[in-house]
Amino acid sequence: VDVFQAWCGPCKTVVDLFRKLRNEVGSDLLHFAVAEVDSIDALEKYRGKCEPVFLFYAGGELVAVVRGVNAPLLQKTILEQL
């Protein structure tokens, strides 16, 4: 989940990375979403930050967090979680 605030929008620079990974691993295993923290109370702790935050869930549980746009770390985290 790409967590963002309304004033800055979702992180567009990682969309290509996500598409590439989804094509490589298959669409059944990997799903991407965006969530605006300003409208979701459960994500309140991520408000007021100017860096992108990526949350990784498996089985409905938060399993990893990556702060900032670090393509190699995002790719590594995604592949490890799969």
Coordinates of all heavy atoms in Angstrom, one line a residue:
V1 N 0.9 -1.2 0.0 CA 0.0 0.0 0.0 C 0.9 1.2 0.0 O 1.7 1.4 0.9 CB -0.9 0.0 1.2 CG1 -1.8 1.3 1.2 CG2 -1.8 -1.2 1.3
D2 N 0.7 2.1 -1.0 CA 1.4 3.4 -1.0 C 0.6 4.3 -0.2 O -0.5 4.7 -0.6 CB 1.5 3.8 -2.5 CG 2.2 5.2 -2.7 OD1 2.5 5.8 -1.7 OD2 2.3 5.6 -3.8
V3 N 1.1 4.7 0.9 CA 0.4 5.6 1.9 C 0.8 7.1 1.5 O 2.0 7.4 1.5 CB 0.8 5.3 3.3 CG1 0.2 6.2 4.3 CG2 0.3 3.8 3.6
F4 N -0.2 7.9 1.3 CA 0.2 9.3 0.9 C -0.8 10.3 1.6 O -1.8 9.9 2.1 CB 0.1 9.4 -0.6 CG -1.3 9.4 -1.2 CD1 -2.0 10.5 -1.4 CD2 -1.9 8.1 -1.4 CE1 -3.3 10.5 -2.0 CE2 -3.1 8.1 -2.0 CZ -3.8 9.2 -2.2
Q5 N -0.4 11.6 1.5 CA -1.3 12.6 2.0 C -1.8 13.4 0.8 O -1.2 13.4 -0.3 CB -0.5 13.6 2.9 CG -0.2 13.0 4.2 CD 0.4 14.0 5.2 OE1 0.7 13.6 6.3 NE2 0.7 15.2 4.8
A6 N -3.0 13.9 0.9 CA -3.7 14.5 -0.2 C -2.9 15.6 -0.9 O -2.9 15.8 -2.1 CB -5.1 15.1 0.2
W7 N -2.1 16.4 -0.1 CA -1.4 17.5 -0.7 C -0.2 17.1 -1.6 O 0.2 17.8 -2.4 CB -0.9 18.4 0.4 CG 0.0 17.8 1.4 CD1 -0.3 17.2 2.6 CD2 1.5 17.7 1.3 NE1 0.8 16.7 3.2 CE2 1.9 17.0 2.5 CE3 2.4 18.1 0.4 CZ2 3.3 16.7 2.7 CZ3 3.8 17.8 0.6 CH2 4.2 17.1 1.8
C8 N 0.2 15.8 -1.5 CA 1.4 15.4 -2.3 C 1.0 14.3 -3.3 O 1.7 14.0 -4.2 CB 2.6 15.0 -1.5 SG 2.3 13.6 -0.4
G9 N -0.1 13.6 -3.0 CA -0.5 12.5 -3.9 C 0.3 11.3 -3.8 O 1.4 11.3 -3.1
P10 N -0.1 10.2 -4.4 CA 0.7 8.9 -4.3 C 2.0 9.0 -5.1 O 2.2 9.9 -5.9 CB -0.3 7.9 -5.0 CG -1.2 8.7 -5.8 CD -1.3 10.0 -5.2
C11 N 2.9 8.2 -4.7 CA 4.3 8.2 -5.3 C 4.3 7.6 -6.7 O 4.2 6.4 -6.9 CB 5.2 7.5 -4.4 SG 6.9 7.6 -5.0
K12 N 4.3 8.5 -7.7 CA 4.3 8.1 -9.1 C 5.6 7.5 -9.6 O 5.6 6.7 -10.6 CB 3.8 9.2 -10.0 CG 2.4 9.7 -9.7 CD 2.0 10.9 -10.5 CE 0.6 11.3 -10.1 NZ 0.2 12.5 -10.6
T13 N 6.7 7.7 -8.9 CA 8.0 7.3 -9.4 C 8.1 5.8 -9.3 O 9.0 5.2 -9.9 CB 9.1 8.0 -8.7 OG1 9.0 7.7 -7.3 CG2 9.1 9.5 -9.0
V14 N 7.3 5.1 -8.4 CA 7.5 3.7 -8.2 C 6.5 2.9 -9.0 O 6.5 1.6 -9.0 CB 7.4 3.3 -6.7 CG1 8.6 3.9 -6.0 CG2 6.1 3.6 -6.1
V15 N 5.6 3.5 -9.7 CA 4.5 2.8 -10.5 C 5.1 1.9 -11.5 O 4.7 0.7 -11.6 CB 3.6 3.8 -11.2 CG1 2.6 3.1 -12.1 CG2 2.8 4.6 -10.1
D16 N 6.2 2.3 -12.2 CA 6.8 1.4 -13.2 C 7.5 0.2 -12.5 O 7.4 -0.9 -13.0 CB 7.9 2.2 -14.0 CG 7.3 3.2 -15.0 OD1 6.1 3.0 -15.3 OD2 8.0 4.1 -15.3
L17 N 8.1 0.4 -11.4 CA 8.7 -0.7 -10.6 C 7.6 -1.7 -10.2 O 7.7 -2.9 -10.4 CB 9.4 -0.2 -9.4 CG 9.8 -1.3 -8.4 CD1 10.9 -2.2 -9.0 CD2 10.3 -0.7 -7.1
F18 N 6.4 -1.2 -9.7 CA 5.4 -2.1 -9.3 C 4.8 -2.9 -10.5 O 4.5 -4.1 -10.4 CB 4.2 -1.3 -8.7 CG 4.6 -0.8 -7.3 CD1 3.8 0.2 -6.7 CD2 5.7 -1.2 -6.6 CE1 4.1 0.7 -5.4 CE2 6.0 -0.8 -5.3 CZ 5.2 0.2 -4.7
R19 N 4.6 -2.2 -11.6 CA 4.1 -2.9 -12.8 C 5.1 -4.0 -13.3 O 4.7 -5.1 -13.6 CB 4.0 -1.9 -14.0 CG 2.7 -1.1 -13.8 CD 2.5 -0.2 -15.1 NE 1.3 0.6 -14.9 CZ 1.3 1.9 -15.2 NH1 2.4 2.5 -15.7 NH2 0.3 2.6 -14.9
K20 N 6.4 -3.7 -13.3 CA 7.4 -4.7 -13.7 C 7.3 -5.9 -12.8 O 7.3 -7.0 -13.3 CB 8.8 -4.0 -13.6 CG 9.9 -4.9 -13.9 CD 11.3 -4.2 -13.8 CE 12.4 -5.1 -13.8 NZ 12.9 -5.5 -12.5
L21 N 7.3 -5.7 -11.5 CA 7.3 -6.8 -10.5 C 6.0 -7.6 -10.7 O 6.0 -8.8 -10.6 CB 7.4 -6.3 -9.1 CG 8.8 -5.8 -8.7 CD1 8.8 -5.1 -7.4 CD2 9.8 -6.9 -8.7
R22 N 4.9 -6.9 -10.9 CA 3.6 -7.6 -11.0 C 3.6 -8.5 -12.2 O 3.2 -9.6 -12.2 CB 2.5 -6.7 -11.0 CG 1.2 -7.4 -11.0 CD 0.0 -6.5 -10.7 NE -1.2 -7.3 -10.8 CZ -2.3 -6.9 -10.3 NH1 -2.4 -5.7 -9.8 NH2 -3.4 -7.7 -10.4
N23 N 4.2 -8.0 -13.3 CA 4.3 -8.8 -14.6 C 5.2 -10.0 -14.4 O 5.0 -11.1 -14.9 CB 4.8 -7.9 -15.7 CG 3.8 -7.0 -16.2 OD1 2.6 -7.2 -16.1 ND2 4.2 -5.9 -16.8
E24 N 6.3 -9.8 -13.6 CA 7.3 -10.9 -13.4 C 6.7 -12.0 -12.4 O 7.0 -13.2 -12.7 CB 8.6 -10.4 -12.8 CG 9.4 -9.6 -13.7 CD 10.6 -8.9 -13.1 OE1 10.8 -9.1 -11.9 OE2 11.3 -8.2 -13.8
V25 N 6.0 -11.6 -11.4 CA 5.6 -12.6 -10.4 C 4.1 -13.1 -10.6 O 3.7 -14.1 -10.0 CB 5.7 -12.1 -8.9 CG1 7.2 -11.8 -8.6 CG2 4.8 -11.0 -8.7
G26 N 3.4 -12.4 -11.4 CA 2.0 -12.8 -11.7 C 1.0 -12.0 -10.9 O 1.3 -11.6 -9.7
S27 N -0.1 -11.7 -11.5 CA -1.1 -10.8 -10.8 C -1.8 -11.5 -9.7 O -2.4 -10.8 -8.8 CB -2.1 -10.3 -11.9 OG -2.8 -11.4 -12.5
D28 N -1.8 -12.8 -9.6 CA -2.5 -13.5 -8.5 C -1.8 -13.4 -7.2 O -2.4 -13.4 -6.1 CB -2.7 -14.9 -8.8 CG -3.7 -15.1 -10.0 OD1 -4.5 -14.2 -10.3 OD2 -3.7 -16.2 -10.6
L29 N -0.5 -13.2 -7.2 CA 0.3 -13.2 -6.0 C 0.5 -11.8 -5.4 O 0.8 -11.7 -4.2 CB 1.7 -13.8 -6.3 CG 1.7 -15.2 -6.7 CD1 3.2 -15.6 -7.0 CD2 1.2 -16.1 -5.5
L30 N 0.4 -10.8 -6.2 CA 0.8 -9.4 -5.8 C -0.3 -8.4 -6.1 O -0.8 -8.4 -7.3 CB 2.1 -9.1 -6.5 CG 2.9 -7.9 -6.1 CD1 3.2 -7.9 -4.6 CD2 4.1 -7.8 -7.0
H31 N -0.6 -7.6 -5.1 CA -1.6 -6.6 -5.3 C -1.1 -5.3 -4.8 O -0.5 -5.2 -3.7 CB -2.9 -6.9 -4.7 CG -3.5 -8.2 -5.1 ND1 -4.2 -8.4 -6.3 CD2 -3.4 -9.5 -4.6 CE1 -4.5 -9.6 -6.5 NE2 -4.1 -10.3 -5.5
F32 N -1.3 -4.2 -5.5 CA -0.9 -2.9 -5.1 C -2.1 -2.0 -4.8 O -3.1 -2.1 -5.5 CB 0.1 -2.2 -6.1 CG 1.3 -3.0 -6.4 CD1 1.5 -3.7 -7.5 CD2 2.3 -3.0 -5.4 CE1 2.6 -4.4 -7.8 CE2 3.5 -3.7 -5.6 CZ 3.6 -4.4 -6.8
A33 N -2.0 -1.1 -3.9 CA -3.1 -0.2 -3.6 C -2.5 1.2 -3.1 O -1.3 1.2 -2.7 CB -4.0 -0.7 -2.5
V34 N -3.3 2.2 -3.1 CA -2.9 3.5 -2.5 C -3.9 3.9 -1.5 O -5.1 3.5 -1.6 CB -2.8 4.6 -3.6 CG1 -1.7 4.3 -4.6 CG2 -4.1 4.7 -4.4
A35 N -3.5 4.6 -0.5 CA -4.4 5.0 0.6 C -4.0 6.4 1.1 O -2.9 6.7 1.4 CB -4.2 4.0 1.8
E36 N -5.0 7.2 1.1 CA -4.8 8.6 1.5 C -5.0 8.7 3.1 O -6.1 8.4 3.6 CB -5.8 9.6 0.9 CG -5.6 11.0 1.3 CD -6.7 11.9 0.7 OE1 -7.3 11.6 -0.4 OE2 -7.0 12.9 1.3
V37 N -3.9 9.0 3.8 CA -3.9 9.0 5.2 C -4.9 10.0 5.8 O -5.3 9.8 7.0 CB -2.5 9.2 5.8 CG1 -1.6 8.0 5.4 CG2 -1.9 10.5 5.5
D38 N -5.2 11.1 5.1 CA -6.0 12.1 5.6 C -7.5 11.7 5.8 O -8.2 12.2 6.6 CB -6.0 13.4 4.7 CG -4.6 13.9 4.5 OD1 -3.9 14.0 5.5 OD2 -4.2 14.2 3.4
S39 N -7.9 10.6 5.1 CA -9.2 10.1 5.2 C -9.4 8.8 5.8 O -10.5 8.3 5.9 CB -9.9 10.1 3.8 OG -9.1 9.2 2.9
I40 N -8.3 8.2 6.3 CA -8.3 6.9 7.0 C -7.8 7.0 8.4 O -6.5 7.2 8.6 CB -7.6 5.8 6.1 CG1 -8.1 5.8 4.7 CG2 -7.6 4.5 6.8 CD1 -7.3 4.9 3.8
D41 N -8.6 6.9 9.4 CA -8.2 7.1 10.8 C -7.1 6.1 11.2 O -6.2 6.4 12.0 CB -9.4 7.0 11.7 CG -10.3 8.2 11.6 OD1 -9.9 9.3 11.1 OD2 -11.5 8.1 12.0
A42 N -7.2 4.9 10.7 CA -6.2 3.8 11.1 C -4.8 4.2 10.6 O -3.8 3.6 11.2 CB -6.6 2.5 10.5
L43 N -4.7 5.1 9.7 CA -3.3 5.5 9.2 C -2.9 6.8 9.7 O -2.0 7.4 9.2 CB -3.4 5.5 7.6 CG -3.6 4.1 7.0 CD1 -3.8 4.3 5.5 CD2 -2.6 3.1 7.3
E44 N -3.5 7.3 10.7 CA -3.3 8.6 11.3 C -1.8 8.9 11.6 O -1.2 9.9 11.4 CB -4.1 8.9 12.5 CG -3.9 10.2 13.1 CD -4.8 10.5 14.3 OE1 -5.5 9.5 14.8 OE2 -4.9 11.6 14.7
K45 N -1.1 7.8 12.1 CA 0.3 8.0 12.5 C 1.2 8.3 11.3 O 2.4 8.7 11.5 CB 0.8 6.7 13.2 CG 0.9 5.5 12.4 CD 1.4 4.3 13.3 CE 1.5 3.1 12.5 NZ 2.0 2.0 13.4
Y46 N 0.7 8.1 10.1 CA 1.6 8.5 8.9 C 1.3 9.9 8.4 O 1.9 10.3 7.4 CB 1.3 7.4 7.8 CG 1.7 6.0 8.2 CD1 0.7 5.1 8.6 CD2 3.0 5.6 8.4 CE1 1.0 3.8 9.0 CE2 3.3 4.4 8.8 CZ 2.3 3.5 9.1 OH 2.7 2.2 9.5
R47 N 0.4 10.6 9.0 CA 0.1 12.0 8.6 C 1.3 12.9 9.0 O 2.0 12.7 10.0 CB -1.2 12.5 9.3 CG -2.4 11.8 8.8 CD -3.6 12.2 9.4 NE -4.7 11.4 9.1 CZ -5.9 11.2 9.8 NH1 -6.0 12.0 10.9 NH2 -6.8 10.4 9.4
G48 N 1.4 14.0 8.2 CA 2.4 15.0 8.5 C 3.9 14.6 8.1 O 4.8 15.4 8.4
K49 N 4.0 13.5 7.4 CA 5.4 13.1 6.9 C 5.5 13.5 5.5 O 4.5 13.4 4.7 CB 5.5 11.6 7.1 CG 5.2 11.0 8.4 CD 6.3 11.4 9.4 CE 6.1 10.6 10.7 NZ 5.6 11.3 11.8
C50 N 6.6 13.9 5.1 CA 6.8 14.3 3.7 C 7.5 13.3 2.8 O 7.8 13.5 1.7 CB 7.6 15.7 3.6 SG 9.2 15.6 4.2
E51 N 7.7 12.1 3.4 CA 8.3 11.0 2.7 C 7.3 9.9 2.4 O 6.4 9.7 3.2 CB 9.5 10.4 3.4 CG 9.1 9.6 4.7 CD 10.2 9.0 5.4 OE1 11.3 9.0 4.9 OE2 10.0 8.6 6.6
P52 N 7.4 9.3 1.2 CA 6.4 8.2 0.9 C 6.6 7.1 1.9 O 7.8 6.8 2.4 CB 6.8 7.8 -0.5 CG 7.6 8.9 -1.1 CD 8.3 9.6 0.1
V53 N 5.6 6.4 2.2 CA 5.6 5.2 3.1 C 4.9 4.1 2.3 O 3.8 4.3 1.8 CB 4.9 5.5 4.4 CG1 4.9 4.2 5.3 CG2 5.6 6.6 5.2
F54 N 5.5 2.9 2.3 CA 4.9 1.7 1.7 C 4.7 0.7 2.7 O 5.7 0.3 3.4 CB 5.9 1.2 0.6 CG 6.1 2.3 -0.5 CD1 7.2 3.2 -0.4 CD2 5.2 2.4 -1.6 CE1 7.4 4.2 -1.3 CE2 5.4 3.4 -2.5 CZ 6.5 4.3 -2.4
L55 N 3.5 0.2 2.9 CA 3.1 -0.8 3.8 C 2.9 -2.1 3.1 O 2.2 -2.1 2.1 CB 1.8 -0.4 4.6 CG 1.8 1.0 5.2 CD1 0.5 1.3 5.8 CD2 2.9 1.2 6.2
F56 N 3.4 -3.2 3.7 CA 3.2 -4.5 3.1 C 2.4 -5.4 4.1 O 2.7 -5.5 5.2 CB 4.6 -5.1 2.9 CG 5.5 -4.4 2.0 CD1 6.2 -3.3 2.4 CD2 5.5 -4.7 0.6 CE1 7.0 -2.6 1.5 CE2 6.2 -4.0 -0.3 CZ 7.0 -2.9 0.1
Y57 N 1.3 -5.9 3.5 CA 0.4 -6.8 4.3 C 0.4 -8.2 3.7 O 0.5 -8.4 2.5 CB -1.0 -6.2 4.2 CG -1.2 -4.9 5.0 CD1 -0.9 -3.7 4.5 CD2 -1.6 -5.0 6.3 CE1 -1.1 -2.5 5.2 CE2 -1.8 -3.8 7.1 CZ -1.5 -2.6 6.5 OH -1.6 -1.5 7.2
A58 N 0.3 -9.1 4.6 CA 0.1 -10.5 4.2 C -0.9 -11.1 5.2 O -0.7 -11.0 6.4 CB 1.4 -11.3 4.2
G59 N -1.9 -11.8 4.7 CA -2.9 -12.4 5.5 C -3.6 -11.3 6.4 O -4.0 -11.7 7.5
G60 N -3.7 -10.1 5.9 CA -4.4 -9.1 6.7 C -3.5 -8.4 7.8 O -4.0 -7.6 8.5
E61 N -2.3 -8.8 7.9 CA -1.4 -8.3 8.9 C -0.3 -7.5 8.3 O 0.3 -7.8 7.2 CB -0.7 -9.4 9.7 CG -1.7 -10.3 10.5 CD -2.4 -9.6 11.6 OE1 -1.7 -8.8 12.3 OE2 -3.6 -9.8 11.8
L62 N 0.1 -6.4 8.9 CA 1.3 -5.6 8.5 C 2.5 -6.4 8.7 O 2.8 -6.8 9.8 CB 1.3 -4.3 9.3 CG 2.4 -3.3 8.9 CD1 2.2 -2.8 7.4 CD2 2.4 -2.1 9.8
V63 N 3.3 -6.6 7.7 CA 4.5 -7.4 7.8 C 5.8 -6.7 7.5 O 6.9 -7.1 7.9 CB 4.4 -8.7 6.9 CG1 3.3 -9.6 7.3 CG2 4.3 -8.3 5.4
A64 N 5.7 -5.5 6.9 CA 6.9 -4.7 6.6 C 6.5 -3.3 6.2 O 5.4 -3.0 5.8 CB 7.7 -5.3 5.4
V65 N 7.5 -2.4 6.5 CA 7.3 -1.0 6.1 C 8.6 -0.5 5.5 O 9.6 -0.7 6.0 CB 7.0 -0.1 7.4 CG1 6.9 1.3 7.1 CG2 5.7 -0.6 8.1
V66 N 8.4 0.2 4.4 CA 9.6 0.9 3.7 C 9.3 2.4 3.7 O 8.2 2.8 3.1 CB 9.8 0.3 2.3 CG1 10.9 1.2 1.6 CG2 10.2 -1.1 2.4
R67 N 10.1 3.2 4.2 CA 10.0 4.6 4.2 C 10.9 5.2 3.2 O 12.1 4.9 3.1 CB 10.3 5.2 5.6 CG 9.4 4.8 6.7 CD 9.7 5.4 8.0 NE 8.8 4.9 9.0 CZ 7.6 5.3 9.3 NH1 7.1 6.3 8.6 NH2 6.9 4.8 10.3
G68 N 10.3 6.1 2.3 CA 11.1 6.7 1.3 C 11.1 5.9 0.0 O 10.8 4.7 0.0
V69 N 11.5 6.6 -1.1 CA 11.5 5.9 -2.4 C 12.9 5.3 -2.6 O 13.8 6.0 -2.9 CB 11.2 6.9 -3.5 CG1 11.2 6.2 -4.9 CG2 9.8 7.4 -3.3
N70 N 13.0 4.0 -2.3 CA 14.3 3.3 -2.5 C 13.9 2.1 -3.3 O 13.5 1.0 -2.7 CB 14.8 2.9 -1.1 CG 16.1 2.2 -1.1 OD1 16.4 1.5 -2.1 ND2 16.9 2.3 -0.1
A71 N 14.0 2.2 -4.6 CA 13.6 1.1 -5.5 C 14.2 -0.2 -5.2 O 13.5 -1.2 -5.1 CB 13.8 1.5 -7.0
P72 N 15.5 -0.3 -5.0 CA 16.1 -1.6 -4.6 C 15.6 -2.2 -3.4 O 15.3 -3.4 -3.3 CB 17.6 -1.3 -4.5 CG 17.8 -0.1 -5.3 CD 16.6 0.7 -5.2
L73 N 15.3 -1.4 -2.3 CA 14.8 -1.9 -1.1 C 13.3 -2.3 -1.2 O 12.9 -3.3 -0.7 CB 14.9 -0.8 0.0 CG 14.4 -1.3 1.4 CD1 15.0 -2.5 1.9 CD2 14.6 -0.1 2.4
L74 N 12.6 -1.5 -2.0 CA 11.2 -1.9 -2.3 C 11.1 -3.2 -3.0 O 10.3 -4.1 -2.6 CB 10.5 -0.8 -3.1 CG 10.1 0.5 -2.4 CD1 9.7 1.5 -3.4 CD2 8.9 0.2 -1.4
Q75 N 11.9 -3.4 -4.0 CA 11.9 -4.7 -4.8 C 12.3 -5.8 -3.9 O 11.7 -6.9 -3.9 CB 12.8 -4.6 -6.0 CG 12.8 -5.8 -6.8 CD 13.5 -5.6 -8.1 OE1 13.8 -4.5 -8.6 NE2 13.8 -6.7 -8.8
K76 N 13.4 -5.6 -3.1 CA 13.8 -6.7 -2.2 C 12.7 -7.1 -1.2 O 12.5 -8.2 -1.0 CB 15.1 -6.2 -1.4 CG 15.6 -7.2 -0.5 CD 16.8 -6.6 0.3 CE 17.2 -7.6 1.4 NZ 18.0 -7.0 2.4
T77 N 12.1 -6.1 -0.6 CA 11.0 -6.3 0.4 C 9.9 -7.1 -0.3 O 9.3 -8.0 0.3 CB 10.6 -5.0 1.0 OG1 11.7 -4.3 1.6 CG2 9.5 -5.2 2.1
I78 N 9.5 -6.6 -1.4 CA 8.3 -7.3 -2.1 C 8.7 -8.8 -2.4 O 7.9 -9.7 -2.1 CB 8.0 -6.6 -3.4 CG1 7.4 -5.2 -3.1 CG2 7.1 -7.4 -4.3 CD1 7.3 -4.3 -4.3
L79 N 9.8 -9.0 -2.9 CA 10.2 -10.4 -3.3 C 10.4 -11.2 -2.0 O 10.0 -12.4 -2.0 CB 11.5 -10.4 -4.1 CG 11.3 -9.7 -5.5 CD1 12.7 -9.7 -6.2 CD2 10.3 -10.5 -6.3
E80 N 10.9 -10.7 -0.9 CA 11.1 -11.4 0.3 C 9.7 -11.8 0.9 O 9.5 -12.9 1.4 CB 11.8 -10.6 1.4 CG 13.3 -10.5 1.1 CD 14.0 -9.6 2.1 OE1 13.4 -8.9 2.9 OE2 15.3 -9.7 2.1
Q81 N 8.8 -10.9 0.8 CA 7.4 -11.1 1.4 C 6.6 -12.1 0.6 O 5.8 -12.8 1.1 CB 6.6 -9.8 1.5 CG 7.2 -8.9 2.5 CD 7.4 -9.5 3.9 OE1 6.5 -10.2 4.4 NE2 8.5 -9.2 4.5
L82 N 6.9 -12.2 -0.7 CA 6.3 -13.2 -1.5 C 6.7 -14.6 -1.2 O 6.1 -15.6 -1.3 CB 6.5 -13.0 -3.0 CG 5.8 -11.8 -3.6 CD1 6.2 -11.5 -5.0 CD2 4.3 -12.0 -3.5

